[in-house]
Amino acid sequence: MTSYTLALLPGDGIGRDVMLEAEKIISVVENNTPLSFQINKIPCGGKHYLETGEEWPEGSFEFCRDEADAILLGAIGWPGAKTESGDLAGGSVILGLRSGLDLYANVRPIRLYDGVNHKIHGNFQQVWKPGMVDMVIIRENTEGLYHSLLRRCADAAQGRETWEPGEMDFPGLDGEVAWDPRPISRHGSERVIRYAFEIARRRNGAPVDGKTRVTCVDKSNVTRGCQLFNKIYHEIAEEYPDTETDHAYIDAFSMWLVRQPEWFDVVVTPNMFGDISTDLASVLQGGMGIAASANLGDSHGMFEPVHGSAPKYAGKNTTNPIAMISSVSLMFDWLGTKNNDPTCTAISDSIEQAVNQVLSGDKLTYDLGGSAGTSEVGDLVCQILEENLRKHIPIA
Ligand code: IPM
Ligand code: MN
């Protein structure tokens, strides 16, 4: 019997609500497959910091690094919650793990499911049919504009002395200046770009023409970091002659993303551009209630919905749990590949199928035009998942 150790980090706000649904999914899996789970649910985040003075209990980073087979995160961020240094309280959790575990590829699939309308207003409903939006944005996750904060959070998470960038002087600027360096390295770019080309191999190409295409999105007409990123993109592309190369500056990409989403298959981009464009891209798939993500390194994986903690909606049982449930599916898919465990892969497919089925029905949360609660949608996914698993996966 295979057992997996999971670190569950509910975090703040609706992160806690959707984590409850993830837990239900995991117990359905446990009860209907040969797998078992060791679950460690760790209180954490900005609210937890305000209440206890710590972002998470001591040893949590080490648990995630040394014990957990996979990490599931809800959301981080609570109004007014800042650490002594003025940084995001809970940053040790989300950014400390991204940096400290070298989770360099932030994988954010954007797919419009059957039965879901995108959220662009106007009469585009007929133009964009399900199937016309099916891309994955790969966001570099360990450097770029996030580098300083990532580094400080990884230091805090591991009890190390905090790194600060050295002095800089900016000619022509007077008075108080705040700044963030934006380093982009060859190593950091190579690994994430190669990851994007590898993922492209396992997909079906762009909806518009079925071609396998990796689009490099940057601002190489302006920044040196992007010039390096772009140069490395072209170097790596030579290793994949069957994949079509493609490039867009981030400003133009923002336009093309909305005008012609069917063009895109795999997109690879530096950290902050990926952060911004994936919120934008979520409207193409029905909103943040659907958007799931994986933070992947060579040895660790952390899975989380793209949405934030939405304090206003916390505890109200209104949030769409699908983004979290699809993140659980991404987790099983990754566990399957990493451990060569076909049961995990089959579980991932079964969750995905259940999500598909729920989204084409009418028990939906408010963001998709329904009036069902978080837990009702979660229960329905669980019910369908249970049927799927019984059909497809023999209990050992
Ligand atoms: C995300 C979030 C985080 C980020 C925040 C909470 C630090 O917006 O995962 O996209 O900026 O990366
Ligand atoms: Mn974001």
Short mmCIF file of all heavy atoms in Angstrom, two decimals, residues 76-77 88 94-95 98 106 108 139 141 146 149 271 275 278-279 293 304-308, ligand 1:
data_model
loop_
_atom_site.label_atom_id
_atom_site.label_comp_id
_atom_site.label_asym_id
_atom_site.label_seq_id
_atom_site.Cartn_x
_atom_site.Cartn_y
_atom_site.Cartn_z
N ILE A 76 -2.72 33.12 0.77
CA ILE A 76 -2.02 33.90 1.79
C ILE A 76 -2.35 35.37 1.61
O ILE A 76 -2.35 35.89 0.49
CB ILE A 76 -0.48 33.70 1.67
CG1 ILE A 76 -0.07 32.25 2.03
CG2 ILE A 76 0.28 34.71 2.55
CD1 ILE A 76 -0.28 31.84 3.47
N GLY A 77 -2.60 36.07 2.73
CA GLY A 77 -2.83 37.52 2.70
C GLY A 77 -4.00 37.90 3.60
O GLY A 77 -5.09 37.36 3.46
N LEU A 88 4.92 41.18 3.55
CA LEU A 88 3.70 40.38 3.61
C LEU A 88 3.80 39.29 4.69
O LEU A 88 4.66 38.42 4.61
CB LEU A 88 3.52 39.73 2.23
CG LEU A 88 2.45 38.69 2.01
CD1 LEU A 88 1.11 39.38 1.79
CD2 LEU A 88 2.81 37.82 0.79
N ILE A 94 4.21 31.14 1.36
CA ILE A 94 4.06 31.04 -0.10
C ILE A 94 5.38 31.33 -0.83
O ILE A 94 5.81 30.58 -1.71
CB ILE A 94 2.90 31.94 -0.60
CG1 ILE A 94 2.71 31.81 -2.11
CG2 ILE A 94 3.08 33.40 -0.23
CD1 ILE A 94 1.40 32.41 -2.61
N LEU A 95 6.04 32.42 -0.45
CA LEU A 95 7.26 32.81 -1.17
C LEU A 95 8.48 32.08 -0.61
O LEU A 95 9.40 31.73 -1.35
CB LEU A 95 7.44 34.33 -1.11
CG LEU A 95 6.27 35.12 -1.72
CD1 LEU A 95 6.42 36.62 -1.46
CD2 LEU A 95 6.14 34.87 -3.22
N ARG A 98 8.36 28.78 -2.32
CA ARG A 98 8.71 28.88 -3.74
C ARG A 98 10.21 29.03 -3.91
O ARG A 98 10.83 28.37 -4.75
CB ARG A 98 8.01 30.09 -4.38
CG ARG A 98 6.52 29.86 -4.67
CD ARG A 98 5.89 31.10 -5.29
NE ARG A 98 4.46 30.94 -5.46
CZ ARG A 98 3.63 31.94 -5.79
NH1 ARG A 98 4.11 33.16 -5.99
NH2 ARG A 98 2.34 31.72 -5.93
N ASN A 106 6.07 27.96 -12.23
CA ASN A 106 4.70 28.14 -11.76
C ASN A 106 3.78 27.88 -12.96
O ASN A 106 3.70 28.68 -13.88
CB ASN A 106 4.51 29.53 -11.19
CG ASN A 106 3.21 29.68 -10.43
OD1 ASN A 106 2.21 29.07 -10.79
ND2 ASN A 106 3.22 30.49 -9.39
N ARG A 108 0.37 27.39 -14.80
CA ARG A 108 -1.00 27.87 -14.65
C ARG A 108 -1.83 27.58 -15.91
O ARG A 108 -1.82 28.36 -16.86
CB ARG A 108 -0.98 29.37 -14.31
CG ARG A 108 -0.24 29.61 -12.99
CD ARG A 108 -0.25 31.03 -12.49
NE ARG A 108 -0.04 31.04 -11.03
CZ ARG A 108 -0.06 32.11 -10.26
NH1 ARG A 108 -0.30 33.29 -10.80
NH2 ARG A 108 0.12 32.01 -8.96
N ARG A 139 5.06 30.53 -15.50
CA ARG A 139 5.62 31.74 -14.89
C ARG A 139 6.91 31.38 -14.16
O ARG A 139 6.91 30.47 -13.32
CB ARG A 139 4.57 32.28 -13.90
CG ARG A 139 5.07 33.24 -12.88
CD ARG A 139 3.98 33.54 -11.84
NE ARG A 139 4.49 34.48 -10.85
CZ ARG A 139 3.84 34.82 -9.74
NH1 ARG A 139 2.64 34.31 -9.48
NH2 ARG A 139 4.38 35.67 -8.89
N ASN A 141 9.43 31.48 -11.31
CA ASN A 141 8.87 31.57 -9.96
C ASN A 141 9.90 31.84 -8.87
O ASN A 141 9.55 31.82 -7.70
CB ASN A 141 8.16 30.24 -9.66
CG ASN A 141 6.93 30.37 -8.80
OD1 ASN A 141 6.30 31.42 -8.78
ND2 ASN A 141 6.57 29.31 -8.10
N TYR A 146 10.42 39.62 -8.11
CA TYR A 146 10.10 39.03 -6.81
C TYR A 146 11.36 38.63 -6.05
O TYR A 146 11.28 38.21 -4.90
CB TYR A 146 9.24 37.77 -7.00
CG TYR A 146 7.77 38.04 -7.20
CD1 TYR A 146 7.30 38.62 -8.37
CD2 TYR A 146 6.84 37.70 -6.22
CE1 TYR A 146 5.95 38.85 -8.56
CE2 TYR A 146 5.49 37.93 -6.42
CZ TYR A 146 5.06 38.50 -7.59
OH TYR A 146 3.71 38.71 -7.78
N LEU A 149 12.14 39.85 -2.29
CA LEU A 149 11.17 39.39 -1.30
C LEU A 149 11.21 37.87 -1.17
O LEU A 149 11.14 37.33 -0.06
CB LEU A 149 9.77 39.88 -1.68
CG LEU A 149 8.65 39.49 -0.72
CD1 LEU A 149 8.92 39.97 0.71
CD2 LEU A 149 7.30 40.03 -1.19
N ASN A 271 8.76 36.29 -13.94
CA ASN A 271 7.91 36.20 -12.75
C ASN A 271 6.72 37.17 -12.71
O ASN A 271 5.55 36.75 -12.74
CB ASN A 271 8.81 36.38 -11.52
CG ASN A 271 8.22 35.75 -10.28
OD1 ASN A 271 7.02 35.56 -10.19
ND2 ASN A 271 9.06 35.43 -9.31
N ASP A 275 2.60 36.69 -13.13
CA ASP A 275 1.62 36.97 -12.05
C ASP A 275 0.45 37.76 -12.62
O ASP A 275 -0.71 37.40 -12.42
CB ASP A 275 2.31 37.77 -10.94
CG ASP A 275 1.33 38.12 -9.83
OD1 ASP A 275 0.57 37.23 -9.40
OD2 ASP A 275 1.32 39.30 -9.40
N THR A 278 -1.73 35.96 -15.61
CA THR A 278 -2.57 34.81 -15.26
C THR A 278 -3.88 35.25 -14.59
O THR A 278 -4.89 34.57 -14.70
CB THR A 278 -1.84 33.76 -14.41
OG1 THR A 278 -1.20 34.39 -13.30
CG2 THR A 278 -0.82 33.03 -15.24
N ASP A 279 -3.86 36.39 -13.90
CA ASP A 279 -5.15 36.92 -13.41
C ASP A 279 -6.01 37.35 -14.60
O ASP A 279 -7.20 37.06 -14.66
CB ASP A 279 -4.95 38.13 -12.48
CG ASP A 279 -4.78 37.74 -11.02
OD1 ASP A 279 -4.21 36.66 -10.76
OD2 ASP A 279 -5.21 38.51 -10.13
N SER A 293 -3.19 26.07 -10.04
CA SER A 293 -1.78 26.19 -10.37
C SER A 293 -0.91 25.19 -9.62
O SER A 293 -1.28 24.65 -8.59
CB SER A 293 -1.27 27.61 -10.10
OG SER A 293 -1.00 27.80 -8.73
N GLU A 304 -1.77 25.15 -5.62
CA GLU A 304 -2.64 26.16 -5.01
C GLU A 304 -3.55 26.79 -6.06
O GLU A 304 -3.17 26.91 -7.22
CB GLU A 304 -1.78 27.27 -4.37
CG GLU A 304 -0.74 27.84 -5.31
CD GLU A 304 -0.05 29.12 -4.83
OE1 GLU A 304 -0.66 29.90 -4.09
OE2 GLU A 304 1.11 29.31 -5.24
N PRO A 305 -4.74 27.23 -5.65
CA PRO A 305 -5.54 28.01 -6.57
C PRO A 305 -4.83 29.33 -6.87
O PRO A 305 -4.07 29.82 -6.03
CB PRO A 305 -6.84 28.25 -5.81
CG PRO A 305 -6.59 27.89 -4.39
CD PRO A 305 -5.37 27.03 -4.34
N VAL A 306 -5.08 29.92 -8.03
CA VAL A 306 -4.44 31.20 -8.37
C VAL A 306 -5.06 32.34 -7.54
O VAL A 306 -4.41 33.34 -7.25
CB VAL A 306 -4.58 31.49 -9.89
CG1 VAL A 306 -4.00 32.85 -10.27
CG2 VAL A 306 -3.89 30.40 -10.71
N HIS A 307 -6.30 32.17 -7.14
CA HIS A 307 -6.97 33.27 -6.42
C HIS A 307 -6.33 33.57 -5.07
O HIS A 307 -5.57 32.77 -4.53
CB HIS A 307 -8.46 32.98 -6.25
CG HIS A 307 -8.80 31.79 -5.38
ND1 HIS A 307 -8.53 31.75 -4.03
CD2 HIS A 307 -9.41 30.61 -5.66
CE1 HIS A 307 -8.97 30.59 -3.53
NE2 HIS A 307 -9.50 29.88 -4.50
N GLY A 308 -6.66 34.74 -4.54
CA GLY A 308 -6.13 35.15 -3.24
C GLY A 308 -7.06 34.74 -2.11
O GLY A 308 -7.90 33.85 -2.28
C1 IPM B 1 -0.02 34.62 -6.79
C2 IPM B 1 -0.20 35.65 -5.72
C3 IPM B 1 1.12 35.84 -4.96
C4 IPM B 1 2.14 36.36 -5.97
C5 IPM B 1 1.04 36.78 -3.75
C6 IPM B 1 0.00 36.33 -2.74
C7 IPM B 1 2.37 36.97 -3.07
O1 IPM B 1 -0.67 36.83 -6.26
O2 IPM B 1 0.31 33.46 -6.45
O3 IPM B 1 -0.21 34.92 -7.97
O4 IPM B 1 2.24 37.57 -6.18
O5 IPM B 1 2.84 35.53 -6.54
#
